[in-house]
Amino acid sequence: MELTWNLDVLYISFNSEKFKSDEEILNKHIANLNDWAIKNLKDTHNAASKIQEFLKLYNEYKSLYCCLYSYAELTSCSDSSNIQAMNVLDDIEDNDSSATESFVKFNKWLKSLNNIEALIESSPELIEYGFYIKELLSQSKYLLGENEESLISKMQITGSKAWQRLYMELTSTLLMDIDIDGESKKISLSELRNMAYEENESLRKIAYYAEVDACKSISKSSAACLNGISGEALTIYDMRGYKSPLEKVLLESRMDFETLNTMLLAVKESLPMFHKYYNKKSQILGHKESLPFYDIFAPTGDANTKISYLDARDLIVSSFKTFSQELANFAEKVFDKRWIDAELRT
């Protein structure tokens, strides 16, 4: 069975006529969106119809953007050395930043409306978008001006997003030499992590220390990536008026500090149970002291059964059928259409 995904449902290649045509259409969508925003967001006349029209134009643009971006991103995920995919991602993100100004302009215009509830209720289409519109309103107070937000969006392409890609490339291409049954093999970081579930204790231990060495070898580069991303975020969040990065995360998660603190308290209260569990696991695995990290995920008893990809497919589909035939049908389609990339790569 093929374990690599088939992306033909999106595009057959970056050089295909469909991909190149959609790139051109995307630029037209951006131009139309920006032109419309300049011409129509000067006043609040016919506000309901303007909200509908903007959302229609924005959806047309974003739908195509997601197809192009997803194809490039998924191609890059399965082959981090694909330079063409990386270049296309840069181009698409640069185009996306060109639409930022009109999106911010719309948000600020939306904030100027005094009767937003009545406007939403006046149209069946806007009722469907009601939650999204209110989300935009709640976020609008943290937006800077159109020029500032557009500039931030453009600078992030060579800032935090570039750091993020470098980090992903470092971790996805890193290989370590380890001995398995007397044979030297090059193993990727993801494979080393998967070996934490191996039945063989010696193999788990070898994989763990190889992973530690692997992480040490890229620690300075990884720290630079994380510092670059965090530094940018701290600067931007402060400019936008967030009390802290945590406040932004909670707002986007639709959660308040009280809920978060309650969740953390529940975790703290449950820690003794986890301590008891790991102490018992340490005893079962024959350790005289605390459980070493390389045995955190070690199988115990008969919990080391391995199943084939086909059996896993049948298990997933049949499990979904117990509560949703629709979900089971979708899962079956995902497997049949090869929308899953399950191949191990080195």
PDB file of all heavy atoms in Angstrom, residues 313-342:
ATOM      1  N   ARG A 313      -6.077   1.153   9.543  1.00  0.00           N
ATOM      2  CA  ARG A 313      -7.130   1.793   8.749  1.00  0.00           C
ATOM      3  C   ARG A 313      -8.494   1.200   9.100  1.00  0.00           C
ATOM      4  O   ARG A 313      -9.452   1.944   9.356  1.00  0.00           O
ATOM      5  CB  ARG A 313      -6.841   1.570   7.261  1.00  0.00           C
ATOM      6  CG  ARG A 313      -7.939   2.026   6.315  1.00  0.00           C
ATOM      7  CD  ARG A 313      -7.700   1.449   4.922  1.00  0.00           C
ATOM      8  NE  ARG A 313      -8.687   1.919   3.968  1.00  0.00           N
ATOM      9  CZ  ARG A 313      -9.912   1.446   3.844  1.00  0.00           C
ATOM     10  NH1 ARG A 313     -10.323   0.474   4.673  1.00  0.00           N
ATOM     11  NH2 ARG A 313     -10.742   1.940   2.953  1.00  0.00           N
ATOM     12  N   ASP A 314      -8.590  -0.123   9.123  1.00  0.00           N
ATOM     13  CA  ASP A 314      -9.862  -0.791   9.423  1.00  0.00           C
ATOM     14  C   ASP A 314     -10.333  -0.466  10.842  1.00  0.00           C
ATOM     15  O   ASP A 314     -11.540  -0.280  11.076  1.00  0.00           O
ATOM     16  CB  ASP A 314      -9.716  -2.304   9.260  1.00  0.00           C
ATOM     17  CG  ASP A 314      -9.464  -2.702   7.813  1.00  0.00           C
ATOM     18  OD1 ASP A 314      -9.775  -1.898   6.919  1.00  0.00           O
ATOM     19  OD2 ASP A 314      -8.932  -3.809   7.596  1.00  0.00           O
ATOM     20  N   LEU A 315      -9.385  -0.385  11.782  1.00  0.00           N
ATOM     21  CA  LEU A 315      -9.729  -0.091  13.167  1.00  0.00           C
ATOM     22  C   LEU A 315     -10.308   1.318  13.301  1.00  0.00           C
ATOM     23  O   LEU A 315     -11.313   1.539  13.992  1.00  0.00           O
ATOM     24  CB  LEU A 315      -8.484  -0.232  14.053  1.00  0.00           C
ATOM     25  CG  LEU A 315      -8.661   0.107  15.537  1.00  0.00           C
ATOM     26  CD1 LEU A 315      -9.680  -0.831  16.179  1.00  0.00           C
ATOM     27  CD2 LEU A 315      -7.322   0.017  16.266  1.00  0.00           C
ATOM     28  N   ILE A 316      -9.688   2.274  12.617  1.00  0.00           N
ATOM     29  CA  ILE A 316     -10.145   3.668  12.679  1.00  0.00           C
ATOM     30  C   ILE A 316     -11.547   3.796  12.086  1.00  0.00           C
ATOM     31  O   ILE A 316     -12.450   4.395  12.687  1.00  0.00           O
ATOM     32  CB  ILE A 316      -9.160   4.589  11.939  1.00  0.00           C
ATOM     33  CG1 ILE A 316      -7.848   4.680  12.723  1.00  0.00           C
ATOM     34  CG2 ILE A 316      -9.751   5.985  11.750  1.00  0.00           C
ATOM     35  CD1 ILE A 316      -6.726   5.368  11.978  1.00  0.00           C
ATOM     36  N   VAL A 317     -11.725   3.233  10.900  1.00  0.00           N
ATOM     37  CA  VAL A 317     -13.026   3.345  10.223  1.00  0.00           C
ATOM     38  C   VAL A 317     -14.122   2.657  11.033  1.00  0.00           C
ATOM     39  O   VAL A 317     -15.213   3.216  11.236  1.00  0.00           O
ATOM     40  CB  VAL A 317     -12.947   2.744   8.802  1.00  0.00           C
ATOM     41  CG1 VAL A 317     -14.346   2.695   8.164  1.00  0.00           C
ATOM     42  CG2 VAL A 317     -11.998   3.559   7.930  1.00  0.00           C
ATOM     43  N   SER A 318     -13.854   1.448  11.517  1.00  0.00           N
ATOM     44  CA  SER A 318     -14.866   0.710  12.282  1.00  0.00           C
ATOM     45  C   SER A 318     -15.188   1.408  13.602  1.00  0.00           C
ATOM     46  O   SER A 318     -16.343   1.388  14.058  1.00  0.00           O
ATOM     47  CB  SER A 318     -14.397  -0.722  12.549  1.00  0.00           C
ATOM     48  OG  SER A 318     -13.205  -0.729  13.321  1.00  0.00           O
ATOM     49  N   SER A 319     -14.189   2.032  14.216  1.00  0.00           N
ATOM     50  CA  SER A 319     -14.422   2.753  15.476  1.00  0.00           C
ATOM     51  C   SER A 319     -15.315   3.964  15.247  1.00  0.00           C
ATOM     52  O   SER A 319     -16.222   4.235  16.035  1.00  0.00           O
ATOM     53  CB  SER A 319     -13.089   3.185  16.089  1.00  0.00           C
ATOM     54  OG  SER A 319     -12.302   2.069  16.442  1.00  0.00           O
ATOM     55  N   PHE A 320     -15.071   4.678  14.161  1.00  0.00           N
ATOM     56  CA  PHE A 320     -15.912   5.837  13.845  1.00  0.00           C
ATOM     57  C   PHE A 320     -17.357   5.415  13.581  1.00  0.00           C
ATOM     58  O   PHE A 320     -18.303   6.129  13.911  1.00  0.00           O
ATOM     59  CB  PHE A 320     -15.368   6.577  12.623  1.00  0.00           C
ATOM     60  CG  PHE A 320     -14.186   7.470  12.918  1.00  0.00           C
ATOM     61  CD1 PHE A 320     -13.246   7.742  11.939  1.00  0.00           C
ATOM     62  CD2 PHE A 320     -14.020   8.047  14.163  1.00  0.00           C
ATOM     63  CE1 PHE A 320     -12.155   8.564  12.199  1.00  0.00           C
ATOM     64  CE2 PHE A 320     -12.941   8.866  14.441  1.00  0.00           C
ATOM     65  CZ  PHE A 320     -12.006   9.131  13.454  1.00  0.00           C
ATOM     66  N   LYS A 321     -17.537   4.235  12.989  1.00  0.00           N
ATOM     67  CA  LYS A 321     -18.879   3.764  12.659  1.00  0.00           C
ATOM     68  C   LYS A 321     -19.740   3.565  13.893  1.00  0.00           C
ATOM     69  O   LYS A 321     -20.973   3.621  13.819  1.00  0.00           O
ATOM     70  CB  LYS A 321     -18.795   2.445  11.888  1.00  0.00           C
ATOM     71  CG  LYS A 321     -18.442   2.598  10.429  1.00  0.00           C
ATOM     72  CD  LYS A 321     -18.412   1.240   9.734  1.00  0.00           C
ATOM     73  CE  LYS A 321     -18.055   1.383   8.261  1.00  0.00           C
ATOM     74  NZ  LYS A 321     -17.983   0.071   7.578  1.00  0.00           N
ATOM     75  N   THR A 322     -19.108   3.349  15.045  1.00  0.00           N
ATOM     76  CA  THR A 322     -19.877   3.108  16.265  1.00  0.00           C
ATOM     77  C   THR A 322     -20.655   4.334  16.723  1.00  0.00           C
ATOM     78  O   THR A 322     -21.592   4.207  17.504  1.00  0.00           O
ATOM     79  CB  THR A 322     -18.956   2.642  17.410  1.00  0.00           C
ATOM     80  OG1 THR A 322     -17.993   3.670  17.696  1.00  0.00           O
ATOM     81  CG2 THR A 322     -18.229   1.364  17.031  1.00  0.00           C
ATOM     82  N   PHE A 323     -20.249   5.518  16.239  1.00  0.00           N
ATOM     83  CA  PHE A 323     -20.997   6.718  16.646  1.00  0.00           C
ATOM     84  C   PHE A 323     -21.299   7.688  15.503  1.00  0.00           C
ATOM     85  O   PHE A 323     -22.112   8.593  15.671  1.00  0.00           O
ATOM     86  CB  PHE A 323     -20.250   7.479  17.757  1.00  0.00           C
ATOM     87  CG  PHE A 323     -18.902   8.010  17.364  1.00  0.00           C
ATOM     88  CD1 PHE A 323     -18.772   9.282  16.845  1.00  0.00           C
ATOM     89  CD2 PHE A 323     -17.775   7.234  17.549  1.00  0.00           C
ATOM     90  CE1 PHE A 323     -17.524   9.772  16.490  1.00  0.00           C
ATOM     91  CE2 PHE A 323     -16.520   7.715  17.214  1.00  0.00           C
ATOM     92  CZ  PHE A 323     -16.387   8.992  16.670  1.00  0.00           C
ATOM     93  N   SER A 324     -20.674   7.499  14.329  1.00  0.00           N
ATOM     94  CA  SER A 324     -20.971   8.403  13.217  1.00  0.00           C
ATOM     95  C   SER A 324     -20.616   7.749  11.885  1.00  0.00           C
ATOM     96  O   SER A 324     -19.441   7.629  11.538  1.00  0.00           O
ATOM     97  CB  SER A 324     -20.195   9.719  13.375  1.00  0.00           C
ATOM     98  OG  SER A 324     -20.332  10.532  12.213  1.00  0.00           O
ATOM     99  N   GLN A 325     -21.622   7.367  11.128  1.00  0.00           N
ATOM    100  CA  GLN A 325     -21.393   6.785   9.810  1.00  0.00           C
ATOM    101  C   GLN A 325     -20.783   7.829   8.883  1.00  0.00           C
ATOM    102  O   GLN A 325     -19.933   7.510   8.031  1.00  0.00           O
ATOM    103  CB  GLN A 325     -22.708   6.266   9.220  1.00  0.00           C
ATOM    104  CG  GLN A 325     -22.557   5.568   7.891  1.00  0.00           C
ATOM    105  CD  GLN A 325     -21.692   4.333   7.959  1.00  0.00           C
ATOM    106  OE1 GLN A 325     -21.864   3.491   8.838  1.00  0.00           O
ATOM    107  NE2 GLN A 325     -20.731   4.207   7.043  1.00  0.00           N
ATOM    108  N   GLU A 326     -21.201   9.066   9.043  1.00  0.00           N
ATOM    109  CA  GLU A 326     -20.671  10.144   8.201  1.00  0.00           C
ATOM    110  C   GLU A 326     -19.162  10.305   8.406  1.00  0.00           C
ATOM    111  O   GLU A 326     -18.397  10.455   7.451  1.00  0.00           O
ATOM    112  CB  GLU A 326     -21.382  11.461   8.523  1.00  0.00           C
ATOM    113  CG  GLU A 326     -20.950  12.622   7.640  1.00  0.00           C
ATOM    114  CD  GLU A 326     -21.686  13.916   7.969  1.00  0.00           C
ATOM    115  OE1 GLU A 326     -22.518  13.904   8.907  1.00  0.00           O
ATOM    116  OE2 GLU A 326     -21.424  14.935   7.298  1.00  0.00           O
ATOM    117  N   LEU A 327     -18.741  10.275   9.667  1.00  0.00           N
ATOM    118  CA  LEU A 327     -17.324  10.403   9.981  1.00  0.00           C
ATOM    119  C   LEU A 327     -16.549   9.179   9.478  1.00  0.00           C
ATOM    120  O   LEU A 327     -15.426   9.299   8.977  1.00  0.00           O
ATOM    121  CB  LEU A 327     -17.126  10.571  11.490  1.00  0.00           C
ATOM    122  CG  LEU A 327     -15.727  10.976  11.973  1.00  0.00           C
ATOM    123  CD1 LEU A 327     -15.255  12.243  11.295  1.00  0.00           C
ATOM    124  CD2 LEU A 327     -15.741  11.173  13.489  1.00  0.00           C
ATOM    125  N   ALA A 328     -17.143   8.012   9.598  1.00  0.00           N
ATOM    126  CA  ALA A 328     -16.512   6.786   9.100  1.00  0.00           C
ATOM    127  C   ALA A 328     -16.329   6.853   7.588  1.00  0.00           C
ATOM    128  O   ALA A 328     -15.282   6.458   7.057  1.00  0.00           O
ATOM    129  CB  ALA A 328     -17.351   5.572   9.484  1.00  0.00           C
ATOM    130  N   ASN A 329     -17.349   7.345   6.886  1.00  0.00           N
ATOM    131  CA  ASN A 329     -17.261   7.480   5.427  1.00  0.00           C
ATOM    132  C   ASN A 329     -16.150   8.451   5.036  1.00  0.00           C
ATOM    133  O   ASN A 329     -15.414   8.213   4.068  1.00  0.00           O
ATOM    134  CB  ASN A 329     -18.590   7.969   4.856  1.00  0.00           C
ATOM    135  CG  ASN A 329     -19.693   6.923   4.981  1.00  0.00           C
ATOM    136  OD1 ASN A 329     -19.418   5.739   5.181  1.00  0.00           O
ATOM    137  ND2 ASN A 329     -20.930   7.364   4.888  1.00  0.00           N
ATOM    138  N   PHE A 330     -16.044   9.535   5.808  1.00  0.00           N
ATOM    139  CA  PHE A 330     -14.996  10.513   5.509  1.00  0.00           C
ATOM    140  C   PHE A 330     -13.611   9.909   5.747  1.00  0.00           C
ATOM    141  O   PHE A 330     -12.694  10.087   4.938  1.00  0.00           O
ATOM    142  CB  PHE A 330     -15.169  11.762   6.371  1.00  0.00           C
ATOM    143  CG  PHE A 330     -14.094  12.796   6.144  1.00  0.00           C
ATOM    144  CD1 PHE A 330     -14.080  13.547   4.979  1.00  0.00           C
ATOM    145  CD2 PHE A 330     -13.088  12.992   7.073  1.00  0.00           C
ATOM    146  CE1 PHE A 330     -13.082  14.483   4.744  1.00  0.00           C
ATOM    147  CE2 PHE A 330     -12.086  13.926   6.860  1.00  0.00           C
ATOM    148  CZ  PHE A 330     -12.088  14.682   5.683  1.00  0.00           C
ATOM    149  N   ALA A 331     -13.447   9.176   6.851  1.00  0.00           N
ATOM    150  CA  ALA A 331     -12.165   8.540   7.146  1.00  0.00           C
ATOM    151  C   ALA A 331     -11.798   7.551   6.045  1.00  0.00           C
ATOM    152  O   ALA A 331     -10.636   7.472   5.612  1.00  0.00           O
ATOM    153  CB  ALA A 331     -12.236   7.829   8.496  1.00  0.00           C
ATOM    154  N   GLU A 332     -12.787   6.815   5.569  1.00  0.00           N
ATOM    155  CA  GLU A 332     -12.550   5.851   4.495  1.00  0.00           C
ATOM    156  C   GLU A 332     -12.100   6.569   3.222  1.00  0.00           C
ATOM    157  O   GLU A 332     -11.192   6.106   2.513  1.00  0.00           O
ATOM    158  CB  GLU A 332     -13.832   5.051   4.234  1.00  0.00           C
ATOM    159  CG  GLU A 332     -13.595   3.720   3.580  1.00  0.00           C
ATOM    160  CD  GLU A 332     -14.778   2.788   3.765  1.00  0.00           C
ATOM    161  OE1 GLU A 332     -15.912   3.284   3.974  1.00  0.00           O
ATOM    162  OE2 GLU A 332     -14.563   1.568   3.708  1.00  0.00           O
ATOM    163  N   LYS A 333     -12.730   7.694   2.960  1.00  0.00           N
ATOM    164  CA  LYS A 333     -12.370   8.486   1.781  1.00  0.00           C
ATOM    165  C   LYS A 333     -10.937   9.001   1.890  1.00  0.00           C
ATOM    166  O   LYS A 333     -10.182   9.004   0.912  1.00  0.00           O
ATOM    167  CB  LYS A 333     -13.345   9.662   1.644  1.00  0.00           C
ATOM    168  CG  LYS A 333     -13.079  10.556   0.450  1.00  0.00           C
ATOM    169  CD  LYS A 333     -14.106  11.682   0.375  1.00  0.00           C
ATOM    170  CE  LYS A 333     -13.840  12.583  -0.824  1.00  0.00           C
ATOM    171  NZ  LYS A 333     -14.827  13.692  -0.906  1.00  0.00           N
ATOM    172  N   VAL A 334     -10.553   9.444   3.096  1.00  0.00           N
ATOM    173  CA  VAL A 334      -9.201   9.955   3.328  1.00  0.00           C
ATOM    174  C   VAL A 334      -8.161   8.887   3.008  1.00  0.00           C
ATOM    175  O   VAL A 334      -7.139   9.165   2.368  1.00  0.00           O
ATOM    176  CB  VAL A 334      -9.053  10.435   4.792  1.00  0.00           C
ATOM    177  CG1 VAL A 334      -7.592  10.673   5.133  1.00  0.00           C
ATOM    178  CG2 VAL A 334      -9.858  11.708   5.014  1.00  0.00           C
ATOM    179  N   PHE A 335      -8.420   7.658   3.432  1.00  0.00           N
ATOM    180  CA  PHE A 335      -7.495   6.556   3.149  1.00  0.00           C
ATOM    181  C   PHE A 335      -7.491   6.206   1.662  1.00  0.00           C
ATOM    182  O   PHE A 335      -6.434   6.022   1.057  1.00  0.00           O
ATOM    183  CB  PHE A 335      -7.865   5.320   3.973  1.00  0.00           C
ATOM    184  CG  PHE A 335      -7.417   5.390   5.405  1.00  0.00           C
ATOM    185  CD1 PHE A 335      -8.331   5.637   6.422  1.00  0.00           C
ATOM    186  CD2 PHE A 335      -6.085   5.202   5.737  1.00  0.00           C
ATOM    187  CE1 PHE A 335      -7.927   5.684   7.748  1.00  0.00           C
ATOM    188  CE2 PHE A 335      -5.666   5.251   7.059  1.00  0.00           C
ATOM    189  CZ  PHE A 335      -6.585   5.506   8.068  1.00  0.00           C
ATOM    190  N   ASP A 336      -8.691   6.109   1.072  1.00  0.00           N
ATOM    191  CA  ASP A 336      -8.805   5.712  -0.330  1.00  0.00           C
ATOM    192  C   ASP A 336      -8.163   6.733  -1.269  1.00  0.00           C
ATOM    193  O   ASP A 336      -7.554   6.370  -2.279  1.00  0.00           O
ATOM    194  CB  ASP A 336     -10.268   5.508  -0.709  1.00  0.00           C
ATOM    195  CG  ASP A 336     -10.883   4.305  -0.021  1.00  0.00           C
ATOM    196  OD1 ASP A 336     -10.115   3.442   0.455  1.00  0.00           O
ATOM    197  OD2 ASP A 336     -12.131   4.231   0.057  1.00  0.00           O
ATOM    198  N   LYS A 337      -8.323   8.000  -0.942  1.00  0.00           N
ATOM    199  CA  LYS A 337      -7.775   9.068  -1.782  1.00  0.00           C
ATOM    200  C   LYS A 337      -6.302   9.361  -1.492  1.00  0.00           C
ATOM    201  O   LYS A 337      -5.704  10.210  -2.126  1.00  0.00           O
ATOM    202  CB  LYS A 337      -8.590  10.355  -1.571  1.00  0.00           C
ATOM    203  CG  LYS A 337     -10.048  10.272  -1.973  1.00  0.00           C
ATOM    204  CD  LYS A 337     -10.195  10.207  -3.485  1.00  0.00           C
ATOM    205  CE  LYS A 337     -11.666  10.274  -3.881  1.00  0.00           C
ATOM    206  NZ  LYS A 337     -11.825  10.219  -5.354  1.00  0.00           N
ATOM    207  N   ARG A 338      -5.741   8.666  -0.494  1.00  0.00           N
ATOM    208  CA  ARG A 338      -4.335   8.852  -0.089  1.00  0.00           C
ATOM    209  C   ARG A 338      -4.071  10.302   0.327  1.00  0.00           C
ATOM    210  O   ARG A 338      -3.195  10.978  -0.188  1.00  0.00           O
ATOM    211  CB  ARG A 338      -3.399   8.450  -1.220  1.00  0.00           C
ATOM    212  CG  ARG A 338      -3.204   6.946  -1.354  1.00  0.00           C
ATOM    213  CD  ARG A 338      -2.318   6.591  -2.511  1.00  0.00           C
ATOM    214  NE  ARG A 338      -1.101   7.382  -2.517  1.00  0.00           N
ATOM    215  CZ  ARG A 338      -0.393   7.643  -3.626  1.00  0.00           C
ATOM    216  NH1 ARG A 338      -0.807   7.178  -4.782  1.00  0.00           N
ATOM    217  NH2 ARG A 338       0.715   8.354  -3.558  1.00  0.00           N
ATOM    218  N   TRP A 339      -4.854  10.750   1.307  1.00  0.00           N
ATOM    219  CA  TRP A 339      -4.634  12.080   1.860  1.00  0.00           C
ATOM    220  C   TRP A 339      -3.797  12.005   3.140  1.00  0.00           C
ATOM    221  O   TRP A 339      -3.704  12.974   3.886  1.00  0.00           O
ATOM    222  CB  TRP A 339      -5.975  12.735   2.179  1.00  0.00           C
ATOM    223  CG  TRP A 339      -6.759  13.076   0.951  1.00  0.00           C
ATOM    224  CD1 TRP A 339      -6.342  13.016  -0.333  1.00  0.00           C
ATOM    225  CD2 TRP A 339      -8.134  13.512   0.889  1.00  0.00           C
ATOM    226  NE1 TRP A 339      -7.345  13.385  -1.207  1.00  0.00           N
ATOM    227  CE2 TRP A 339      -8.460  13.703  -0.487  1.00  0.00           C
ATOM    228  CE3 TRP A 339      -9.105  13.761   1.853  1.00  0.00           C
ATOM    229  CZ2 TRP A 339      -9.706  14.127  -0.898  1.00  0.00           C
ATOM    230  CZ3 TRP A 339     -10.360  14.182   1.431  1.00  0.00           C
ATOM    231  CH2 TRP A 339     -10.647  14.377   0.072  1.00  0.00           C
ATOM    232  N   ILE A 340      -3.194  10.856   3.400  1.00  0.00           N
ATOM    233  CA  ILE A 340      -2.370  10.644   4.591  1.00  0.00           C
ATOM    234  C   ILE A 340      -0.944  10.339   4.164  1.00  0.00           C
ATOM    235  O   ILE A 340      -0.725   9.543   3.238  1.00  0.00           O
ATOM    236  CB  ILE A 340      -2.918   9.478   5.445  1.00  0.00           C
ATOM    237  CG1 ILE A 340      -4.328   9.789   5.940  1.00  0.00           C
ATOM    238  CG2 ILE A 340      -1.995   9.191   6.615  1.00  0.00           C
ATOM    239  CD1 ILE A 340      -5.004   8.637   6.653  1.00  0.00           C
ATOM    240  N   ASP A 341       0.004  10.970   4.797  1.00  0.00           N
ATOM    241  CA  ASP A 341       1.413  10.695   4.524  1.00  0.00           C
ATOM    242  C   ASP A 341       1.990   9.961   5.728  1.00  0.00           C
ATOM    243  O   ASP A 341       2.243  10.567   6.775  1.00  0.00           O
ATOM    244  CB  ASP A 341       2.163  12.007   4.279  1.00  0.00           C
ATOM    245  CG  ASP A 341       3.547  11.759   3.720  1.00  0.00           C
ATOM    246  OD1 ASP A 341       3.651  11.348   2.543  1.00  0.00           O
ATOM    247  OD2 ASP A 341       4.535  11.966   4.447  1.00  0.00           O
ATOM    248  N   ALA A 342       2.203   8.675   5.609  1.00  0.00           N
ATOM    249  CA  ALA A 342       2.618   7.849   6.737  1.00  0.00           C
ATOM    250  C   ALA A 342       3.999   7.237   6.554  1.00  0.00           C
ATOM    251  O   ALA A 342       4.447   6.434   7.386  1.00  0.00           O
ATOM    252  CB  ALA A 342       1.594   6.729   6.964  1.00  0.00           C
TER     253      ALA A 342
END
